[in-house]
Structure formats: structure tokens, C-alpha cells
Amino acid sequence: MRLRRWLADRWVMGVALLVLGYLTLPILVVAGLSFNRPTSRLSYDFNEFTLDNWARPCATADMCDAVVRSMEIGLIATVVSTVLGTLMAFALVRHGFRGRSGINGLIFLPMATPELVMGTSLLALFVAAGVPQGFWTIVIAHVMFCVSFVVVTVKARLAGMDRRLEEAAMDLYASEWQTFRRITLPLVLPGIVAAALLAFSLSFDDFIITNFNAGTTVTFPMYVWGAAQRGIPPQVNVIGTAMFVIALLLVGVSSLRGRRTRRAALAVIATPAGKP
């Protein structure tokens, strides 16, 4: 009976751990292969432990050029889509205007549209407009589908934020700018950071839409696709592992900072008048 009760109380947690392990397993395999010295470029079996791949991540010059190019595209697309998406999220959550419900529906279209359809549509648009395919057409395409993800992420953060904190700050004679800078922005910042990380990941990882609009520009996913025909170098696993670790650290720091900011804001509101 005790065993049955123990299983009944913890089976949900057990299933969650199994699902988490299933999702984490490919990442662990990639991380393990980053320390592998394969017998050949077409072999994916673990042969011998080595740190050479991490010591020489740019052993293949073409790969590092593609990585740098993907990071440049990702950073530009992330900055533009984060600014536009955050402004749209504030407008949709905090303001009422005609056509708001329709705009909310249109935001989901880039997420629901198959990438093949979106890629061919953008290619037809650029060809009809006489725009040469290359670096900037990739940036435009990435901004277009990243904005929707930013809007949805920041909207969720704004919807879950307690408006009473802003109202209390205004009651304490804070101006609108002071309230936004000291209360609203710190509370919504974790959502903005999460949206930016998501946008960068989507841009850095995209292949289908990029392949249609890249012209002669080669990004990191396109390099990996081309290298798969002749053998993927182990340094690719190094890049993937490093990107995952950096993203994990950024999410952790942002989450901890958001918790501290919220606790500090709640402590200020809960302090009785006249006390420090």
C-alpha cells in the first residue's frame, strides 16, 4: 500500500522526468560527440576522447565563416524583431483600438504557415520586386517570422504582470517614465530577453526559408546541409554545444534577475508608509 501510494503521488513527476530526459538526450549526444575523434568524417560512433575539437573550433575555415554570417544575420534580425514585437505586444495588451482582434489573428499566420510556403512566397516577392537575393533578403525574411514569436512571448509576460505594482508606483507620485523604467521594464525584461533568445535561435537555426532567399550567401545550417554529403566535421558539434550552453546561461541569469526584481518591487509595495 505504501509503495502504491508513493507511486500515485509521484507518477506525474516521473513522467515529466522521462519526457525531459527524452528531450535532453539528443543534446547530450551532440555534446558527447564534440569530444570525439571519429575514425572518418562519415563515422558518428564514439571512437576516442579528445579536446582538439574545442581547441580548434575553426579548423574548417568555411564553417567558421558560415557561423559568423549566421550570427550577424541572427543579431540583426533579433534586434529588429525584438523592438518591433515588444512595441506591438504593449499596444495589443495595454491599448484598445479598432482592429485589435484581427491583428491578434494575423500575428499567428507566420507561425502557422509552412516554411516551404513562406520561403517560396518571399522568393516570388523579391524576384518580382527586382531585389537580389543575399544577406539582406535573409534578414528581411527572418525578421518577418521572428516578430510573431516575440509578440506572443512578450504578450504572455505582460498578461501575467500585476498592474497593481504600476498603480502603486503612480500613487507614490512616480511619473509615467519613472514607473516604466523602475517597475514595468524590470518586470517585463525576462519576457523580452526570452523572446530575443527565441528569435535568435529561430534565425540562427533556419534552413528552409533561408535556402530559398539566400542567393550565394551560405549560413551555418546551409553549410551543415552541404557538408552532410561529404561528412560533417566534429567542430559542428562544438558550435552546437557552445550555443546551447550560452543560451542556457542567459536564460538562467535572466530568470534569477527577474525573480529578484519582482521580490524587490513587492517588498517596496508591502512597506508601510513612513517606514524606510
Side-chain angles (χ1 to χ4, degrees):
M1 291 296 295
R2 291 182 179 179
L3 179 60
R4 184 179 301 175
R5 185 177 302 173
W6 187 86
L7 291 175
D9 293 338
R10 293 170 175 80
W11 72 271
V12 175
M13 179 62 69
V15 173
L17 291 175
L18 288 175
V19 174
L20 184 61
Y22 174 76
L23 295 175
T24 310
L25 184 60
I27 301 174
L28 296 178
V29 171
V30 170
L33 290 176
S34 67
F35 297 98
N36 180 39
R37 179 181 284 122
T39 55
S40 66
R41 299 189 68 176
L42 297 175
S43 175
Y44 297 97
D45 297 330
F46 194 86
N47 178 52
E48 181 183 355
F49 180 84
T50 181
L51 294 176
D52 292 343
N53 300 329
W54 286 87
R56 298 185 302 163
C58 291
T60 306
D62 294 341
M63 187 194 72
C64 280
D65 292 340
V67 171
V68 172
R69 195 171 297 111
S70 288
M71 293 186 68
E72 292 174 349
I73 294 172
L75 288 174
I76 297 173
T78 298
V79 171
V80 176
S81 61
T82 301
V83 172
L84 294 177
T86 301
L87 294 176
M88 291 176 63
F90 270 94
L92 292 171
V93 174
R94 297 295 180 85
H95 301 280
F97 52 90
R98 183 178 299 177
R100 186 175 68 169
S101 59
I103 294 177
N104 278 318
L106 289 175
I107 287 173
F108 287 94
L109 282 181
M111 295 188 292
T113 304
E115 290 190 346
L116 184 64
V117 175
M118 188 179 300
T120 54
S121 300
L122 285 170
L123 176 61
L125 175 65
F126 291 138
V127 171
V131 179
Q133 285 76 50
F135 183 92
W136 291 109
T137 54
I138 299 176
V139 172
I140 294 172
H142 287 195
V143 169
M144 192 193 71
F145 67 78
C146 285
V147 165
S148 297
F149 291 93
V150 174
V151 172
V152 171
T153 305
V154 178
K155 273 183 61 181
R157 182 66 179 179
L158 286 172
M161 197 173 69
D162 192 352
R163 293 291 300 273
R164 292 176 296 179
L165 297 176
E166 297 171 294
E167 295 171 358
M170 299 289 285
D171 290 340
L172 295 173
Y173 303 103
S175 64
E176 292 184 358
W177 169 245
Q178 290 175 326
T179 302
F180 176 79
R181 184 170 61 89
R182 299 196 175 191
I183 303 297
T184 307
L185 183 60
L187 291 176
V188 79
L189 187 60
I192 297 176
V193 173
L197 290 175
L198 178 61
F200 182 81
S201 299
L202 292 171
S203 175
F204 188 86
D205 185 59
D206 183 76
F207 171 75
I208 298 178
I209 297 176
T210 303
N211 191 38
F212 278 103
N213 301 278
T216 58
T217 304
V218 178
T219 61
F220 181 61
M222 296 178 64
Y223 172 83
V224 174
W225 176 75
Q229 302 176 8
R230 57 185 183 275
I232 299 177
Q235 284 77 11
V236 170
N237 300 314
V238 173
I239 300 299
T241 304
M243 295 294 295
F244 174 77
V245 172
I246 293 173
L248 194 63
L249 291 175
L250 290 176
V251 170
V253 171
S254 176
S255 179
L256 290 175
R257 185 174 180 180
R259 289 182 182 180
R260 292 178 180 176
T261 303
R262 182 170 179 81
R263 289 176 182 175
L266 291 174
V268 171
I269 299 302
T271 302
K275 292 187 178 182

